Amino acid sequence: METAGAPKSPEYDPDCYLCPGNARAGGVRNPKYDSTFVFDNDFAALHPDAPLEREVRDGLLIAESEPGNCRVVCFSPRHDLTISNMASADLRKVVDVWVAQFEELGARPEINYVQIFENRGAMMGASNPHPHGQIWAGHSLPNEIAKEQASLAAWRAERGNCMLCDYEKLERTAGERIVEENGGFLAVVPYWAVWPFETMILAKRHVTGIDGLVELEREALADILKRMTARYDRLFQVSFPYTMGFHQRPTDGKAHDEWHLHLHFYPPLLRSAAVRKFMVGYEMLATPQRDITPEAAAERLRGV
Ligand SMILES: [Zn+2]
Ligand SMILES: [Zn+2]
Ligand SMILES: [Zn+2]
């Protein structure tokens, strides 16, 4: 079996800045938390008190300030866990924290989008194996969100439907790209997948944001996250690296009924624990190429 990670982590690491009771940068000490723990990133890229400024030079260079917040969410006090091997009840608490953070940050007048995400594994630049994610909340609409916003709004204007409700229906009928399903969510390798084992998790009911999930759906979200990450781990017998995150309505005060809550998983691995896909050459200069069809990737993931 190939391994592409460090040796197994201990339950507590005295040198980890995320473990309970340990010191972080600048000497702040974490509380001895026993569930989840949220704090403002010590090296935040966004600051809430940045003044709104815009500078344009010769119509070519545009710089805009970006007031916002960067937070870290520790999923568990245990240093050695991942989403795939956390207890469902504990993952459910993480879902509640995400909802509370979305509500709190989204309510701030200067915050128009709340991005919740997780980078997992050294291959994705996650320097610390302690199970944690991040939240970046900012003033302007990030590029990926702006692109989706335009597509979702155009579809609704043309057809009067939600594009992702229609897509969820199509995928459920086709069946061949489905990886996991439960009462609240459907996980598919999207038809347009670029990363070999890219997946998308769609809310089955039309909800514009994570705050719209009812109790059973929050449980279903924890359940499908655990099952999907465990499936990924089994694929190449390795603690699977990925970037994962939510896409949902902007928090600019408008209803945004065109939005439909979903998550993306972007894992870098292609053939084994050690062989990754590189987005280089033609893909960087022209357009991405698929190494494996979405139907074949879904079949592989269903089979493990
Ligand atoms: Zn730790
Ligand atoms: Zn919808
Ligand atoms: Zn999306």
Side-chain angles (χ1 to χ4, degrees), residues 216-284:
L216 281 174
E217 289 166 330
R218 292 188 190 193
E219 259 162 51
L221 176 57
D223 171 73
I224 205 156
L225 282 174
K226 182 173 168 65
R227 289 206 269 147
M228 283 300 293
T229 50
R231 215 169 259 292
Y232 275 138
D233 286 356
R234 292 196 296 270
L235 184 64
F236 296 131
Q237 300 291 307
V238 68
S239 188
F240 209 76
Y242 56 77
T243 278
M244 166 279 267
F246 292 80
H247 278 167
Q248 52 192 327
R249 74 172 189 281
T251 55
D252 54 6
K254 301 192 183 104
H256 285 296
D257 200 42
E258 71 279 12
W259 270 89
H260 183 120
L261 174 70
H262 62 280
L263 296 89
H264 296 279
F265 269 91
Y266 296 123
L269 295 181
L270 172 58
R271 258 184 285 280
S272 70
V275 179
R276 61 164 295 164
K277 177 180 176 69
F278 287 98
M279 290 280 186
V280 295
Y282 187 78
E283 311 197 301
M284 195 176 261

